[in-house]
Every structure is written in structure tokens, then in C-alpha cells.
Amino acid sequence: MEMASEIVNRVDSVDDIEFMEDEEEGRVEPKPNAKENRSDNDEKESKKVKVCTFIAWKYFTKIGVVDGKEKAECNACGQQYVIGGSKVGTSHLLRHVKLLCKKKAKFHDVGGMIIDHAGKLRSREVDQKRVLELLTMCIVRRGLPFNFVKYKWVRELLSYINFDVKHVSMNTLVSSLLKVHGEMKEKLKYAIHKCHNRICLTSNCWTACTQEGYICLTTHFVDNNWKLNSKILVFCKLEPPHTGEDLTNKVFEVLTEWEIDRKIFSITLDNASANDRMQELLGEQLRLQNSLLCDGEFLHVGCCAHVLNLIVQDGLNVTEVALQKIRDNIKYVRASE
């Protein structure tokens, strides 16, 4: 009895219990006679306290015998399961916690909890929707490729932070991005329609290194709080040919989609010939709706930056010969050193 009490006092954790069991198995004691052995066993069985060390009992509580069978109840959802006996283990209890429990079981140990940004102790539970939103905003804010979620070390980082996180696929990320785009588009539509002022536009076209043409249409307006807003309405690929008629159809399509074709004040374009033709055709279509101020007299505004760039380029062409001679002289001096 003294030895049993000593062992119980030395037990501090589950690992200690397993260690003590192994230690007791390896100890060799002298065999007492049958009567002493029987009396000691009866006394130990009467005073033996069974310690539940399985992890399942962090989530279940024994409720006793129900309908002739010993059962345990889930601490979260109240589901009851049969326990006890040599043929009934605890794997079905753990399976319920991981897969079947409709409510998240509360952790009873600090190791299963984390401290949030507010300094409060909460359950280590991962909100998969929030993870998807944050990954989507990484793409929106930094222009990352969609396959960055497949990078090995990105997944290693997420798993290290919380092993319960579910990794996101590229298709899921694309769907989330399109959803965010639709939500932001509706918010911008509401803000534009709520504004009672006229809207100014800027448009630009260019050709990428892959010889594909793109168009960008930006709106500028002052909201009801007297704050200047500049928002991109469309940034998309423009199929050739890039004629004035094609540009007009594309711009007018965007204006009708955003329902702002009757609120246009001006559009700023560079001095390309296709843009000159486009502003003429666009002005004619808007005049049919009788939605332009002063019959469209202030519709077309030239791009000052483009005009200044042309002036600088012409000036550099005049001094090109002199600049080339200066560069050659500098090369000769450096080479002679």
C-alpha cells in the first residue's frame, strides 16, 4: 500500500502514468504466499482509483448506465455513445469530434488555445472563409499570380501557423476574386449614382510586348463630401483593328454598362488620330440623348502630358547630333585612361 501511494503521488501527467506502468512491469518482487496475495489484491481493488487518460475524455463526459449500457455524452452537442467493455474503445468518440460533431468542442487545456490580437484567449479554430478572403486580398493588393497558393513554403507557413487550415486551390481563389470584383463594382456603382455631379473620363490605349492591344477607361468625380475620386471602370484587351469606330463602340458599351452615359462632362485623350475620330463619334451618340452640356463643346480635352512629351521629343531631335558628339568624346576620354 505504501508503494502504491508513492506511485500515485509521483504521477503528474499521462506520460508519467505510462512511464510508471513500464517501470512497475520491469520490477521483480518476491512472491508472497497465496493468502497474503489474495488479501492484498482485494484491498487494492477496493481502493484503486481509475484514471481516465485518453484524449477523448477532454470532449466527452461519462453519464453512467443508460438503457442497460454505460454511455458518455459529447460536451459540445450532447450526442451519446456506448463506452466500456473490452470490445468498445474510444476511436468512435474521436471520430465524432473530428468529423460528426455539429458544434466545435471547447478545449479544456491551454495548449489547444491561442491568444488573439486583442490579447484574449480563444479556441484554436480556423475560419476558412477568412483565410480565403485574406489570400484574395494578397492578389488584389500586390498583383500576385494565382498559383502562389501552390508554393511549397506558402503552404508550409499556413500549416505551421495552424495545422487545421485547409489549403486553397487556384480555382477557388479565382472564384473568390471574381466575387470580390462583383461586390466592389456594385459599391462603386452605388457611389457614382449617389453623386449628383458630372463625371469626367480619361482613356488610353497601348500595345503590349506580345502585340496585344489594351484599353483603360478611368472615371473622375467629386462625391457629396467634396472628395475627388479616380476609379478604373474597365481595363481589358482590345481586339484589332484599333479604329475610331471600334474605340467608340467599346467606350459607349462601358458607359451604358455602368449607367453613366447621361452624366458625362468630358473625356481626356491623347493626340492619336483614332482618338480624334472616336471623340467625334462618341459626341454624336451622346448628343442624341441630349445629355451633354453646351452641346458637347467641352467634351474633348487634350492630354497636356502627351502634348508636353511631344514638345520635349521635338526639342531633343534638334540637339540629337550635338548630344551624340558629346557622348562620343566622353567615350574616347574614358578609353584613353
Side-chain angles (χ1 to χ4, degrees):
M1 287 302 295
E2 294 179 356
M3 183 181 301
S5 60
E6 180 182 357
I7 293 175
V8 173
N9 293 332
R10 290 166 56 189
V11 173
D12 293 327
S13 63
V14 177
D15 297 334
D16 294 337
I17 292 176
E18 295 176 354
F19 175 77
M20 295 304 299
E21 289 177 354
D22 296 339
E23 184 178 354
E24 288 301 314
E25 290 178 359
R27 180 179 298 169
V28 178
E29 297 288 346
K31 295 182 178 180
N33 55 38
K35 294 182 179 179
E36 293 178 356
N37 190 12
R38 189 180 302 109
S39 60
D40 291 343
N41 290 337
D42 295 340
E43 186 177 358
K44 288 181 180 179
E45 289 178 0
S46 61
K47 295 186 178 181
K48 184 178 180 180
V49 178
K50 187 175 181 180
V51 180
C52 297
T53 59
F54 293 104
I55 192 174
W57 301 119
K58 295 181 180 180
Y59 311 101
F60 281 83
T61 301
K62 293 182 179 181
I63 59 177
V65 179
V66 179
D67 297 333
K69 297 181 180 180
E70 187 177 3
K71 293 187 178 182
E73 185 179 70
C74 177
N75 297 332
C77 64
Q79 180 67 33
Q80 297 180 2
Y81 287 93
V82 177
I83 60 172
S86 58
K87 296 184 179 180
V88 182
T90 59
S91 59
H92 63 302
L93 304 181
L94 296 177
R95 190 183 307 113
H96 168 81
V97 174
K98 295 180 179 179
L99 303 176
L100 304 178
C101 188
K102 297 181 180 179
K103 298 181 180 179
K104 294 294 182 181
K106 296 183 179 179
F107 289 92
H108 296 282
D109 59 321
V110 179
M113 309 184 75
I114 59 176
I115 299 178
D116 59 11
H117 64 278
K120 297 181 179 180
L121 195 65
R122 64 177 178 84
S123 174
R124 191 194 299 267
E125 181 180 352
V126 179
D127 188 351
Q128 300 296 340
K129 292 183 179 180
R130 182 57 180 167
V131 173
L132 182 59
E133 291 176 0
L134 294 176
L135 292 175
T136 303
M137 295 310 299
C138 289
I139 293 181
V140 173
R141 295 297 183 182
R142 295 300 177 185
L144 299 176
F146 291 116
N147 63 346
F148 96 98
V149 293
K150 298 176 63 177
Y151 295 166
K152 175 183 176 181
W153 297 112
V154 172
R155 296 198 168 192
E156 289 287 342
L157 175 62
L158 295 176
S159 300
Y160 175 76
I161 295 174
N162 196 310
F163 59 88
D164 291 332
V165 68
K166 295 181 181 179
H167 297 295
V168 180
S169 64
M170 290 177 55
N171 294 334
T172 304
L173 200 59
V174 172
S175 301
S176 177
L177 186 61
L178 293 176
K179 180 181 178 181
V180 172
H181 175 266
E183 294 175 353
M184 298 302 295
K185 184 176 180 179
E186 292 300 324
K187 290 182 179 179
L188 181 56
K189 269 187 177 182
Y190 176 76
I192 294 177
H193 288 289
K194 188 178 179 181
C195 175
H196 302 291
N197 302 321
R198 289 276 176 165
I199 296 174
C200 298
L201 302 174
T202 56
S203 177
N204 192 19
C205 300
W206 70 93
T207 302
C209 59
T210 56
Q211 302 303 316
E212 295 179 339
Y214 292 87
I215 184 173
C216 179
L217 186 64
T218 308
T219 178
H220 311 272
F221 63 95
V222 178
D223 58 19
N224 296 331
N225 296 324
W226 292 93
K227 180 181 178 181
L228 178 62
N229 294 268
S230 298
K231 304 295 183 181
I232 296 178
L233 297 182
V234 66
F235 183 95
C236 64
K237 183 179 178 181
L238 184 63
E239 299 294 340
H242 303 161
T243 61
E245 289 76 9
D246 294 329
L247 294 176
T248 303
N249 294 334
K250 185 62 179 179
V251 171
F252 192 75
E253 177 185 348
V254 174
L255 297 181
T256 53
E257 178 184 357
W258 285 82
E259 301 177 358
I260 57 174
D261 51 308
R262 295 182 177 274
K263 302 181 66 173
I264 303 301
F265 176 71
S266 66
I267 181 170
T268 302
L269 305 167
D270 57 25
N271 295 333
S273 58
N275 287 334
D276 293 337
R277 179 60 178 167
M278 187 262 283
Q279 63 91 14
E280 293 177 359
L281 297 176
L282 183 62
E284 292 177 0
Q285 291 187 359
L286 296 178
R287 289 188 188 95
L288 294 177
Q289 300 177 354
N290 194 23
S291 59
L292 293 176
L293 293 178
C294 301
D295 197 28
E297 181 180 355
F298 306 104
L299 177 63
H300 181 216
V301 177
C303 180
C304 297
H306 186 258
V307 173
L308 182 61
N309 181 58
L310 295 177
I311 294 174
V312 173
Q313 293 296 332
D314 289 342
L316 293 177
N317 291 334
V318 174
T319 61
E320 182 178 4
V321 178
L323 291 175
Q324 187 61 38
K325 290 182 179 180
I326 294 174
R327 293 190 183 101
D328 294 339
N329 291 333
I330 294 174
K331 289 180 181 179
Y332 178 79
V333 171
R334 287 182 176 179
S336 61
E337 294 178 354

